[in-house]
Amino acid sequence: MKYYILSLILFLTRLAGFAQEVMLADSITKNPVGYATVYDADGTVIGRSDMGGFIHLQKGFEYNISHISYEPKSLVYKEDSIIFLSPSSHELSEVNVTAKKKKYYHCKVYFRSIEHVDSCLKYYMDGIREFYIDTRSQKVHCGNIVTNYLMSKRKDIAQKKRSMMMGDRYMALPFLDKNTLYEETMRDKKRKIESGIVYADSIPIGSCEVFSDKNEILLSIDALYPKNSLVTNLFGYTQVLSKHNKTEIYRYDDFDAPSVFNLKSSNSYRHLTLTHKKENLVRDIDVEDIFYVVEYEYTDTKESSSTELLQEDYKKYSGMLPVIERIREQLVREK
């Protein structure tokens, strides 16, 4: 038995040694692409590139790469030291009217929330939601919503009755906060941005890049700093949030501090571990929430769009912003 365990350790060590550090980079600017989500061939999240664009991949394995500012990419990794990603080519509708003369900022958001439990797709939700934001007070009013929801029927990841009190559904409907991630970062006295790096207490926690050719600002940070993990206990369950990255992209029109009116898209990735000693339960949970501001305008009236119109919008934008192929296949199988 000792020899078997030793052999297994040596095998796993050898296997881990095949993983190589790879940089993800913009195909045009050649700059690193940080906080891109990488999936394996089964659609399971294996991690995210760091703010320098680096992630470890294994030769001969199939991967799918996703980032809100780039086209999805699928490949079998060979020995490339750099993998280039192409900037998104989709064009979204925009109506730009001077805000000073209008009472509300009206926008439609296409959103998607995906949860994996123990490497299996468990929950999926996407849809269209609209918002009205008062241009003076910046108070947010939610309009109508159209959603598409799916829960896996797999029994091996089914939620136990007792855990229903705590829940393992971590998906979220999008909501536009009054302050953007950029504004919150700049208002935090412990944080600063220097040469494209976001620091907190002199420790790098993210990146901020201005793309002058695309009139965009991309901000990504470690939302858990200064804590390495967040632990909560409830009804005998221990929940550990060990990773939480946030990314936002803004329209950049010579604004020093992009507001919610400049927001183009948002992405949030979380990794949690749920345990229960008595029930011998250990679950790894990966959640990714994403939304795109697909239409916006300034208006003096607040009239919510009809369900029929939002359903048409949903068909349009869900086709323009598809999920990666492997997850799409899983959704088809579940349905």
Side-chain angles (χ1 to χ4, degrees):
M1 185 66 179
K2 287 191 297 183
Y3 295 109
Y4 171 75
I5 294 173
L6 180 61
S7 299
L8 181 61
I9 292 173
L10 290 173
F11 172 75
L12 292 174
T13 304
R14 223 180 273 123
L15 184 64
F18 288 139
Q20 300 180 38
E21 189 175 62
V22 184
M23 175 190 282
L24 306 182
D26 188 298
S27 62
I28 298 175
T29 66
K30 313 306 179 188
N31 292 331
V33 176
Y35 303 101
T37 307
V38 180
Y39 304 83
D40 65 12
D42 297 320
T44 302
V45 176
I46 67 161
R48 292 195 118 192
S49 58
D50 61 23
M51 63 183 181
F54 291 103
I55 192 166
H56 285 85
L57 303 179
Q58 291 188 18
K59 180 181 176 181
F61 283 72
E62 182 180 343
Y63 296 101
N64 299 282
I65 305 171
S66 175
H67 190 285
I68 54 176
S69 194
Y70 294 88
E71 297 287 350
K73 188 180 184 75
S74 299
L75 75 157
V76 175
Y77 178 63
K78 296 178 181 178
E79 290 183 305
D80 304 302
S81 58
I82 301 178
I83 296 174
F84 292 105
L85 303 179
S86 301
S88 297
S89 59
H90 53 260
E91 294 294 332
L92 303 179
S93 302
E94 295 184 352
V95 180
N96 198 356
V97 182
T98 305
K100 294 179 181 179
K101 298 180 181 179
K102 302 293 180 178
K103 187 175 181 180
Y104 297 107
Y105 169 80
H106 172 224
C107 67
K108 292 180 181 178
V109 170
Y110 172 75
F111 67 92
R112 182 185 300 137
S113 190
I114 303 173
E115 179 179 332
H116 284 84
V117 175
D118 293 340
S119 302
C120 301
L121 178 66
K122 182 166 184 180
Y123 295 111
Y124 176 92
M125 179 172 61
D126 69 352
I128 290 281
R129 189 177 196 181
E130 65 177 346
F131 297 92
Y132 283 88
I133 304 176
D134 191 300
T135 55
R136 291 187 178 180
S137 67
Q138 293 195 357
K139 184 176 181 181
V140 180
H141 307 268
C142 296
N144 281 341
I145 184 172
V146 167
T147 61
N148 171 42
Y149 174 79
L150 181 137
M151 180 178 71
S152 174
K153 300 179 180 64
R154 289 185 56 155
K155 293 182 179 180
D156 56 332
I157 57 172
Q159 196 175 44
K160 294 186 178 183
K161 291 182 179 180
R162 185 174 172 185
S163 67
M164 287 296 290
M165 299 180 72
M166 181 172 184
D168 68 354
R169 188 168 70 183
Y170 298 92
M171 300 187 312
L173 288 172
F175 188 80
L176 297 184
D177 294 322
K178 184 174 181 179
N179 297 321
T180 62
L181 183 62
Y182 187 95
E183 290 173 301
E184 290 178 357
T185 301
M186 298 304 291
R187 290 178 183 182
D188 191 327
K189 294 181 179 179
K190 294 183 178 181
R191 296 182 180 180
K192 61 181 178 181
I193 299 176
E194 290 183 356
S195 302
I197 305 297
V198 183
Y199 295 92
D201 297 327
S202 300
I203 297 174
I205 64 165
S207 61
C208 181
E209 189 169 359
V210 177
F211 299 96
S212 56
D213 57 329
K214 295 187 289 186
N215 294 319
E216 289 181 349
I217 292 180
L218 185 148
L219 174 66
S220 299
I221 68 167
D222 174 8
L224 270 181
Y225 181 84
K227 299 179 180 179
N228 293 323
S229 63
L230 184 63
V231 182
T232 54
N233 294 280
L234 187 65
F235 305 120
Y237 289 86
T238 300
Q239 175 181 282
V240 181
L241 177 63
S242 56
K243 185 174 289 187
H244 188 189
N245 302 128
K246 285 185 176 182
T247 300
E248 288 186 354
I249 297 176
Y250 314 93
R251 282 180 291 274
Y252 181 57
D253 299 313
D254 298 323
F255 284 67
D256 292 328
S259 69
V260 67
F261 306 122
N262 302 91
L263 192 61
K264 293 185 71 174
S265 56
S266 176
N267 179 229
S268 175
Y269 168 72
R270 291 157 285 156
H271 177 80
L272 308 98
T273 304
L274 188 66
T275 60
H276 194 290
K277 289 185 178 180
K278 291 184 178 180
E279 296 182 3
N280 195 28
L281 172 71
V282 180
R283 281 184 174 161
D284 282 309
I285 301 170
D286 293 281
V287 187
E288 186 163 25
D289 301 312
I290 188 170
F291 71 73
Y292 299 85
V293 178
V294 292
E295 294 180 17
Y296 75 95
E297 64 178 349
Y298 289 93
T299 178
D300 285 322
T301 60
K302 190 170 66 171
E303 298 179 4
S304 297
S305 302
S306 66
T307 301
E308 291 76 14
L309 178 58
L310 289 183
Q311 287 173 339
E312 289 299 316
D313 289 334
Y314 172 74
K315 292 178 182 178
K316 175 182 176 181
Y317 293 113
S318 60
M320 290 177 62
L321 305 163
V323 296
I324 65 170
E325 184 65 30
R326 291 295 182 180
I327 292 180
R328 185 160 59 247
E329 290 175 358
Q330 291 181 59
L331 290 172
V332 171
R333 285 199 300 270
E334 289 292 345
K335 288 180 179 178

